[in-house]
Amino acid sequence: MTEQQPSVWQDPTAPVDDRVDDLVARMTLAEKVGQLASIWLVPDGAGEMAPMQGAAESVPSWEDAIAHGLGHLTRPFGSAPVDAEAGLRNIVDQQAQVRAANRFGIPAQVHEECLTGLNAWGATIYPTPVSWAATFDPGLVERMGRQIGDLMARLGIHQGLAPVLDVTRDLRWGRVEETLGEDPYVVGTMAAAYVRGLQASGVAATLKHFLGYSASRAGRNLAPVSMGTRELADVMLPPFEMALRAGARSVMNAYTDIDGIPSAADEALLTTLLRDTLGFEGTVVADYFSVAFLHRLHRMAGDLGEAARLALEAGIDVELPSEDAYGAPLLEEVTSGRLDEKVVDRALRRVLHHKCELGLLDPGWTPVEPAPVDLDPPEARELARELARRSVVLLDNDGTLPLAPGMRVALVGPNADTSDAMLGCYTFPMHVLAHHPGHDPGLAIPTLREVLAGDVDLVHEPGCAVGVPGEAEPADADAVLEAAVAAAAGADVCVAVLGDRAGLFGRGTSGEGCDVADLRLPGRQEELLERLLATGTPVVVVLLVGRPYDLSRQADRLAAALCGFFLGEEGAGAVADVLLGRTEPSGRLPVSFPGSGGVQPATYLGAPLAQRSEVTGVDPTPLWPFGHGLGYGRATWERVEVRSGDTWATDGVAELEVALVNESDREVSEVVQVYLHDRAASVVRPEQRLVAAVRVDLPVGARRLVRVGLHADLTAFTGRDLARIVEPGAVELRVGRSSADHVAVLELDLTGAERYVGPERVLEPELSVEVA
């Protein structure tokens, strides 16, 4: 008897496109739609982990959801505390049911959040993304991405919902902590590094949120975006281009609308720009509930069926986190003739193509076998510590830091003795365990007091609460504040640990939905700081935050200021290392600290008239600028020069050299930053923008030679006809330590013909560091 040959779609040796075409031709409409849907099995009482989570109208039962196949299985580890082996058993059982329920035995694709590490109980918690950016070290971020990806792969997870590529535009926005800062180059290089690391493990990265989400009006979550085409193209888009070039396999839409068109229904954005122009061939997944939001929030669709049609036509392939519109409402749109089945097939091909690449269509596919997995191994903790150390920013210092041995230290402030101070809103304890009071976090997260206690003669007083909106002030609040003031008065130095507590949708001072009206420190923290300063004891402020705050009224009276952006499980140790001088401060600000909270939104990327001028009384000059960061030692800049001459062809490369030496008595770390200034352009340009940055570590006495190659494509901008051009003319390369500290200004002339450039243009500089 002749052995039956497998169908083309089951043949791992056949071309992927042929396998997908064969399978699509065999599927019924219901089976096709099933692959575009998902389900989130949220345990009872789990609490709100996504906007308007409880508003879904037509989420089916598990049995109905898998009846014809299932596209995605949502967050099996990231919805409630479950240990690794139990979670794997659940996935094995669920995948068996999914495969048994559909004719083709196709498993679901499993996705999880992974913004600060895998969002699972007991998994390593790395610093939040704005801290990654503060390292100015993409190689370190890539190593972290690989660690995260390896863990996810061991748990049978196929896709991670990170990184965030939204460029910070307004510090009042609650999700600043999730971003990689206010500069497109830094955002793009860090995001691309994360993508390379994660996907090296076979786990798909998801770029979010496409496009313009962080520019919502007044920093309010989901508010409309007021942004012109040029700003969108030159500020918001380049990071996505860089991460797509790194190979990102999935993209997530933004919740917001731009000029009245929500991203979830914007075909020009999700198809014409993303696919036709940028060449993206992967899947576009919906941000949670955003398809239904076209009906419920934007009021653009009359019902869920119309919302499904608009989203699918625009280019959203998979509805997350659960089937709502991409189920019966979508089926009705097709059977009624309002939506061509070819549009369903278009999305289906992308979904199946991805599943085929993941091996999910292969006959021999099996889920990962349940077994104990160490979710927080020593090597991951050490990497988390290295990232945290690298990201701590010394903002100011009069010589009080590092703390001298034998000093009596008053450690005060609401963030001095709580692990919450280290955790962003997408960490498992703040995102999930917040709905499980008293539950063990599953891993060690030391507090700053605990870490310092063995090394410092200290007294601790909280001083006040963080000041989360809606939380009642304790009856003894005044006495608690007075105790902190008394402790400071009796100490040699006061270390005031202030800042944020992350949360979701108003349940924190930073995080998704935790937007603020101004940038004063939350609650009574500014009052506490003023009282501490009035004691006359030197005050060192340690900010453990998700966003910069306005310290302009106190900055000139501080002995020192240190900043850590939600530093993760090893953050306390990293801060202690810097305070005690065991580690050289080396972080640089990826977001500016405001000179006054009233001047937001403002970033360093402002045009000439966005700078300080005589035509307005409002001064936007930052207190601590983008790129700023001090050390205990300081590198000497011996030489900065252009090696390629003072002319720069519009299709050529400008070659720079920077010679550094460490003449101090301790190791130092410098970040060489190169900013482009266009003296005159055909459209208004930012006063300056970063085009290159490289970190240089210098042992005592060491010399290093930094070489920077800048292709003229890096000067490109969107011209008057909305096409991207390289324009001849006079430019400056401002080379230095920050956006406000230029060691040298190099004048060059871009010569040659004006050039139109597209997505294929050079996006990054050539960088090298050599021993001199």
Side-chain angles (χ1 to χ4, degrees), residues 1-5:
M1 186 174 181
T2 304
E3 184 176 343
Q4 186 175 0
Q5 294 297 312

Side-chain angles (χ1 to χ4, degrees), residues 328-345:
L330 176 56
L331 285 167
E332 173 61 23
E333 289 296 301
V334 178
T335 57
S336 68
R338 291 187 291 271
L339 177 67
D340 193 324
E341 189 172 344
K342 292 179 180 178
V343 182
V344 174
D345 290 349

Side-chain angles (χ1 to χ4, degrees), residues 500-569:
D500 282 316
R501 190 175 81 201
L504 294 171
F505 314 117
R507 298 190 296 272
T509 61
S510 174
E512 185 173 0
C514 296
D515 316 310
V516 294
D518 63 53
L519 294 171
R520 290 177 178 267
L521 285 164
R524 298 181 67 178
Q525 293 186 63
E526 184 170 350
E527 178 188 354
L528 171 64
L529 181 55
E530 286 289 353
R531 291 291 306 280
L532 297 173
L533 288 166
T535 65
T537 299
V539 176
V540 174
V541 163
V542 175
L543 296 171
L544 300 177
V545 292
R547 63 160 69 82
Y549 281 100
D550 176 14
L551 269 69
S552 60
R553 291 169 293 280
Q554 296 85 30
D556 61 355
R557 291 176 283 153
L558 296 174
L562 203 66
C563 178
F565 296 103
F566 289 140
L567 294 168
E569 64 182 40

Side-chain angles (χ1 to χ4, degrees), residues 353-588:
H353 197 284
H354 196 181
K355 287 193 172 186
C356 190
E357 290 178 333
L358 291 168
L360 299 181
L361 302 187
D362 294 352
W365 180 86
T366 57
V368 175
E369 286 296 319
V373 179
D374 186 352
L375 302 187
D376 186 33
E379 62 272 19
R381 288 198 74 98
E382 180 53 39
L383 181 56
R385 179 78 163 249
E386 187 177 353
L387 268 159
R389 284 194 193 111
R390 201 73 147 164
S391 68
V392 173
V393 184
L394 181 61
L395 301 169
D396 210 347
N397 187 22
D398 67 359
T400 300
L401 293 181
L403 297 174
M407 297 184 82
R408 292 171 300 149
V409 177
L411 184 68
V412 306
N415 277 347
D417 194 27
T418 172
S419 60
D420 290 354
M422 305 298 165
L423 306 176
C425 77
Y426 268 80
T427 61
F428 194 84
M430 309 308 283
H431 197 83
V432 179
L433 289 186
H435 307 292
H436 301 266
H439 199 288
D440 173 15
L443 74 174
I445 311 171
T447 72
L448 187 55
R449 185 196 64 79
E450 291 169 345
V451 173
L452 285 175
D455 296 302
V456 176
D457 176 15
L458 65 80
V459 58
H460 166 251
E461 295 289 347
C464 66
V466 167
V468 174
E471 289 191 358
E473 189 174 62
D476 63 345
D478 290 340
V480 170
L481 191 147
E482 294 300 333
V485 173
D492 296 322
V493 64
C494 173
V495 177
V497 191
L498 311 175
D500 282 316
R501 190 175 81 201
L504 294 171
F505 314 117
R507 298 190 296 272
T509 61
S510 174
E512 185 173 0
C514 296
D515 316 310
V516 294
D518 63 53
L519 294 171
R520 290 177 178 267
L521 285 164
R524 298 181 67 178
Q525 293 186 63
E526 184 170 350
E527 178 188 354
L528 171 64
L529 181 55
E530 286 289 353
R531 291 291 306 280
L532 297 173
L533 288 166
T535 65
T537 299
V539 176
V540 174
V541 163
V542 175
L543 296 171
L544 300 177
V545 292
R547 63 160 69 82
Y549 281 100
D550 176 14
L551 269 69
S552 60
R553 291 169 293 280
Q554 296 85 30
D556 61 355
R557 291 176 283 153
L558 296 174
L562 203 66
C563 178
F565 296 103
F566 289 140
L567 294 168
E569 64 182 40
E570 286 289 327
V575 172
D577 287 345
V578 172
L579 288 173
L580 299 175
R582 294 191 292 244
T583 295
E584 176 72 6
S586 60
R588 299 295 186 270

Side-chain angles (χ1 to χ4, degrees), residues 146-385:
R146 181 59 189 261
Q147 284 267 16
I148 296 169
D150 285 351
L151 176 59
M152 295 174 76
R154 287 199 296 273
L155 295 174
I157 301 164
H158 308 110
Q159 182 166 344
L161 302 188
V164 170
L165 286 84
D166 302 307
V167 180
T168 295
R169 302 300 281 168
D170 190 328
L171 297 174
R172 296 172 297 183
W173 191 49
R175 303 190 80 170
V176 168
E177 63 173 76
E178 300 176 52
T179 75
L180 290 157
E182 67 185 57
D183 177 79
Y185 169 78
V186 172
V187 174
T189 53
M190 295 295 173
Y194 180 89
V195 168
R196 288 191 297 270
L198 192 78
Q199 295 197 162
S201 304
V203 176
T206 308
L207 310 183
K208 57 188 191 182
H209 307 84
F210 199 76
L211 186 66
Y213 178 44
S214 55
S216 54
R217 289 179 193 160
R220 296 179 63 247
N221 196 35
L222 274 66
V225 172
S226 299
M227 179 174 284
T229 302
R230 186 170 289 103
E231 185 178 358
L232 198 70
D234 289 348
V235 177
M236 296 302 197
L237 185 60
F240 283 90
E241 294 182 90
M242 296 168 75
L244 288 172
R245 192 169 292 184
R249 297 166 74 178
S250 193
V251 171
M252 177 179 279
N253 69 286
Y255 282 126
T256 45
D257 75 82
I258 302 173
D259 196 25
I261 307 297
S263 295
D266 194 341
E267 185 175 5
L269 192 68
L270 299 181
T271 297
T272 305
L273 175 59
L274 180 60
R275 296 191 182 279
D276 299 344
T277 302
L278 299 183
F280 178 63
E281 295 181 345
T283 59
V284 174
V285 298
D287 202 348
Y288 284 14
F289 308 108
S290 62
V291 175
F293 284 175
L294 295 175
H295 167 53
R296 299 190 184 110
L297 294 186
H298 292 291
R299 299 179 187 172
M300 188 179 186
D303 54 31
L304 288 178
E306 186 179 6
R309 175 172 58 81
L310 290 171
L312 200 64
E313 288 177 337
I316 290 183
D317 302 315
V318 181
E319 181 181 26
L320 300 182
S322 283
E323 174 191 320
D324 194 4
Y326 279 21
L330 176 56
L331 285 167
E332 173 61 23
E333 289 296 301
V334 178
T335 57
S336 68
R338 291 187 291 271
L339 177 67
D340 193 324
E341 189 172 344
K342 292 179 180 178
V343 182
V344 174
D345 290 349
R346 181 183 68 173
L348 174 64
R349 281 189 167 86
R350 295 167 185 157
V351 171
L352 294 179
H353 197 284
H354 196 181
K355 287 193 172 186
C356 190
E357 290 178 333
L358 291 168
L360 299 181
L361 302 187
D362 294 352
W365 180 86
T366 57
V368 175
E369 286 296 319
V373 179
D374 186 352
L375 302 187
D376 186 33
E379 62 272 19
R381 288 198 74 98
E382 180 53 39
L383 181 56
R385 179 78 163 249

